[in-house]
Amino acid sequence: MCQGCVGNIFGSLGRMRSGVSRRKFLAAAAGAASIAPLAGRSFAASTDGADLIFRGGPIIPMTGDSRAVEALAVKDGQIVAVGAADTVMDLKSASTEIVDLDGRAMLPGFIDAHQHTVTGALINALFVDCGYTKYKTRDALMAMFRDRAAKTPAGEWLLFTGFDNLLQGGDLMMADLDAASKDHPILVYYINMHTAAGNGLAFARARIPADIGDLPGGGRFGRDAARKLDGMIYEESALKKFAVAIPKITPELAGKAVIDWLKINASHGNTLVHEAGVLVFGDLLEGYERIAAGSPCRASISLMYDSMNEAEPYKQYGHGAQATTILGTTLTIYAMKIVGDGSNQTKSAAQTIPYLNGKDTGRPNFDARQLAEMVGEVRAQGWPVSIHSNGDETLDLALDAIENAYGAFPATGVNRIEHCTITRPEQIERMARLGVQPSFLMNHVYFYGAAYRDQLFGPERAARMDPAADCVRLGLPFTIHTDAPCSNIGTLQLVQTAVTRKCSVDGSIVGAEQAVSLTDALRAVTSHAAGQVGLGDQLGTLETGKLADFTILEKDPYAVDPDALMAINVSQTWVGGRKMFG
């Protein structure tokens, strides 16, 4: 389900209450927001008695050397004291609530720096999961397709998601899906979110002509040896052709799906989720504010480049390095997103060296001139830029465009490279010189480490995937993210993988030299992640004056075996001084 296929739900969300004007709604949202908003760029810590004091377990502030402190006090949704228990307890008044950690560990709230919240939420609601965790063999997968077809009236769409071509036996061809059913249009969305496959009836329903050529932005359709359509669908502009498959999305369905998705995030300790690429359809702001006002965690978004012209009204609220919450909610806006290439898993990411056992290098979605013009326009409008780049050829193009438009360390905010999967050492060095920060999809290593090594890149190149240790050596902040629904929500899984570099499929270590310390991995989901959404002075560490966003774990991550990090249960999640989970 491409971003363009679901972006218009925001307009629907804004219309959930008929007869309520935009002005009245925004005033209500500002008054009813349940989580303390990010109030501004400076804080005055009140000391006339704390609302909450946490003590009784290790409190890990993620500042300096991150040694634990004894107690932390909160008032009006902000941290007012951190340190020795005796000192912090001086803020206790008759109304102060003492929260006993009972040996549990408190950290700054986890931040997932790159998800697709709306897409993931609606996929959960509308598509059937056919992924590797449920169907590990091709036979089991095809049997499920046939069973679904047998139980569904002829002519109705069969929609599936989560298919993993690397782990589930290779691409699904039109012939494979025709074998499952010719009486139902079938669309199978790959877990990488850049690719899908359809049967013959699906292509007919979408009115895809046999002679269709390539589309803008890298969109294209696969063809067999005879140059006939083979069922493969690549990139957003091609995926949009299949929007006809998506059933009507009501405001109620969309709102519930998104809130349920954010509740899952809160249960994993996430206090802020950044949606990396939203298209503006209708009244995006009102729709997203409605979600944010009732959300159990903070929401941050970057807008898709295609929405540049529609983005002007949102600049008044602050963005980039000046990100501020919008009218009393917890929503902030950060950057403009450009999708530079596709997925390594389907060899659609652009590389300078061919993939294993062939001559295919993939290709970027835009040539150098096109990308330079796009990035230049983003800079001219005063936004930071966020560029999806899985291949090293695309990364060259992205860094050229960024350097030409922004120079180094621009005042507009951190320019980001999303995923930044396959790189060369000199590219990371160049990023450090420019202040361009990567956000790594560390679950690439967790799920695909062995496949990248054995099927796609070979040992040497695979060892450099998601090169976090290079960043540490260069002093370049980095983040790690799930890209959910491209991989499962779960921040501690990312942290464990960054520390161990262990692939879950075969237990092998992929790129041991790119492993980082636990402290560096935790910074990637706390302080560095806050910086990458323009909120580094307000979130990401436990310091006086910052907002009271916490993740409380059942065990101290510094006291467990690295291979057991993801098994630590999240006990509680607090946002703005309010317990939102646990």
Side-chain angles (χ1 to χ4, degrees):
M1 186 186 298
C2 64
Q3 294 292 298
C5 299
V6 301
N8 58 357
I9 74 160
F10 292 110
S12 299
L13 286 168
R15 297 190 295 272
M16 283 178 71
R17 293 181 186 173
S18 58
V20 179
S21 72
R22 171 178 168 77
R23 180 173 297 177
K24 288 180 179 178
F25 166 72
L26 295 179
S34 61
I35 304 171
L38 296 118
R41 313 310 293 183
S42 62
F43 299 91
S46 172
T47 56
D48 57 350
D51 298 327
L52 299 160
I53 293 178
F54 295 81
R55 60 177 299 177
I59 297 173
I60 304 169
M62 298 309 302
T63 57
D65 59 10
S66 286
R67 285 181 293 183
V69 299
E70 294 179 327
L72 180 148
V74 174
K75 186 173 181 63
D76 298 330
Q78 296 176 337
I79 299 171
V80 294
V82 184
D86 290 346
T87 301
V88 174
M89 288 299 291
D90 287 342
L91 297 178
K92 182 180 180 299
S93 68
S95 61
T96 300
E97 177 185 353
I98 306 298
V99 180
D100 184 2
L101 294 173
D102 194 23
R104 296 168 297 174
M106 172 189 277
L107 291 91
F110 292 156
I111 297 171
D112 193 332
H114 182 131
Q115 282 192 18
H116 298 281
T117 302
V118 175
T119 305
L122 290 173
I123 282 175
N124 275 3
L126 301 174
F127 284 54
V128 174
D129 184 3
C130 69
Y132 170 75
T133 57
K134 289 192 174 183
Y135 305 98
K136 287 186 166 56
T137 68
R138 180 59 66 93
D139 287 345
L141 180 68
M142 296 305 298
M144 185 273 290
F145 287 161
R146 291 191 295 270
D147 181 64
R148 286 277 174 173
K151 295 176 179 178
T152 304
E156 289 190 10
W157 280 90
L158 296 177
L159 303 176
F160 301 97
T161 189
F163 175 70
D164 196 318
N165 64 304
L166 283 187
L167 302 181
Q168 290 178 284
D171 286 324
L172 285 168
M173 299 288 102
M174 185 181 292
D176 297 322
L177 298 178
D178 281 343
S181 177
K182 290 187 177 181
D183 297 325
H184 304 79
I186 301 176
L187 183 68
V188 182
Y189 196 34
Y190 280 38
I191 196 168
N192 63 51
M193 287 179 61
H194 289 262
T195 313
N199 68 351
L201 188 53
F203 272 67
R205 289 280 186 90
R207 298 182 178 180
I208 307 298
D211 61 351
I212 190 169
D214 290 350
L215 303 174
R220 62 192 186 280
F221 299 89
R223 295 186 179 274
D224 60 21
R227 302 301 300 160
K228 292 184 178 180
L229 294 169
D230 65 8
M232 294 295 295
I233 310 158
Y234 298 99
E235 295 304 316
E236 179 115 346
S237 53
L239 289 165
K240 285 180 181 179
K241 299 285 187 182
F242 289 81
V244 64
I246 309 302
K248 183 179 180 180
I249 300 170
T250 66
E252 292 75 19
L253 183 153
K256 182 180 184 303
V258 173
I259 293 297
D260 287 348
W261 178 269
L262 294 173
K263 286 180 179 178
I264 295 171
N265 273 278
S267 74
H268 285 275
N270 288 338
T271 58
L272 184 148
V273 174
H274 179 70
E275 179 148 20
V278 173
L279 278 168
V280 178
F281 281 83
D283 196 342
L284 176 147
L285 188 57
E286 185 170 338
Y288 227 120
E289 280 173 337
R290 188 176 299 281
I291 293 170
S295 170
C297 52
R298 301 186 191 277
S300 168
I301 60 175
S302 287
L303 303 178
M304 294 298 286
Y305 170 81
D306 290 349
S307 292
M308 180 76 70
N309 292 335
E310 290 79 13
E312 191 64 29
Y314 309 116
K315 292 171 67 175
Q316 64 180 300
Y317 302 106
H319 58 279
Q322 302 299 319
T324 55
T325 49
I326 296 172
L327 296 175
T329 72
T330 59
L331 172 66
T332 55
I333 300 178
Y334 186 64
M336 284 288 162
K337 165 88 175 288
I338 298 171
V339 181
D341 62 4
S343 165
N344 292 308
Q345 288 91 276
T346 53
K347 300 182 180 180
S348 58
Q351 313 291 347
T352 57
I353 301 172
Y355 292 91
L356 276 183
N357 305 316
K359 298 181 179 180
D360 189 6
T361 59
R363 59 180 178 180
N365 290 342
F366 309 98
D367 63 28
R369 179 190 58 78
Q370 292 171 320
L371 190 58
E373 289 178 354
M374 296 165 73
V375 172
E377 186 177 357
V378 174
R379 175 63 183 91
Q381 295 295 323
W383 295 85
V385 71
S386 165
I387 303 180
H388 163 117
S389 173
N390 271 314
D392 71 321
E393 179 185 352
T394 307
L395 183 55
D396 282 334
L397 299 177
L399 295 179
D400 286 346
I402 290 172
E403 184 168 15
N404 289 336
Y406 292 88
F409 296 95
T412 46
V414 172
N415 292 318
R416 297 173 37 159
I417 300 296
E418 307 302 321
H419 313 321
C420 201
T421 311
I422 300 300
T423 68
R424 307 187 305 274
E426 68 270 19
Q427 291 178 309
I428 303 299
E429 293 170 2
R430 185 182 183 190
M431 291 173 67
R433 292 195 301 272
L434 296 175
V436 176
Q437 295 182 15
S439 186
F440 298 122
L441 173 46
M442 196 54 67
N443 279 337
H444 278 146
V445 178
Y446 184 80
F447 288 111
Y448 303 125
Y452 272 43
R453 179 192 64 221
D454 301 335
Q455 299 178 43
L456 295 176
F457 296 110
E460 184 177 349
R461 292 168 72 195
R464 284 200 49 76
M465 63 194 295
D466 303 317
D470 280 0
C471 297
V472 174
R473 286 189 286 269
L474 293 166
L476 175 63
F478 68 92
T479 62
I480 50 181
H481 65 262
T482 64
D483 198 22
C486 292
S487 73
N488 57 291
I489 297 170
T491 303
L492 286 173
Q493 179 174 301
L494 302 175
V495 170
Q496 176 176 312
T497 305
V499 172
T500 66
R501 299 288 295 195
K502 183 175 287 188
C503 174
S504 64
V505 174
D506 68 350
S508 63
I509 306 300
V510 181
E513 63 275 17
Q514 292 298 338
V516 299
S517 71
L518 176 57
T519 296
D520 286 319
L522 288 171
R523 284 176 178 151
V525 296
T526 56
S527 58
H528 292 341
Q532 283 194 3
V533 295
L535 301 173
D537 61 344
Q538 302 172 64
L539 298 171
T541 58
L542 304 182
E543 298 179 82
T544 299
K546 288 198 172 183
L547 293 174
D549 287 15
F550 317 125
T551 301
I552 299 177
L553 303 178
E554 290 290 341
K555 296 180 180 179
D556 181 350
Y558 287 91
V560 305
D561 186 277
D563 285 322
L565 285 166
M566 64 183 285
I568 300 174
N569 289 325
V570 174
S571 176
Q572 295 177 2
T573 303
W574 292 69
V575 181
R578 293 175 60 90
K579 185 166 64 174
M580 308 307 290
F581 169 78

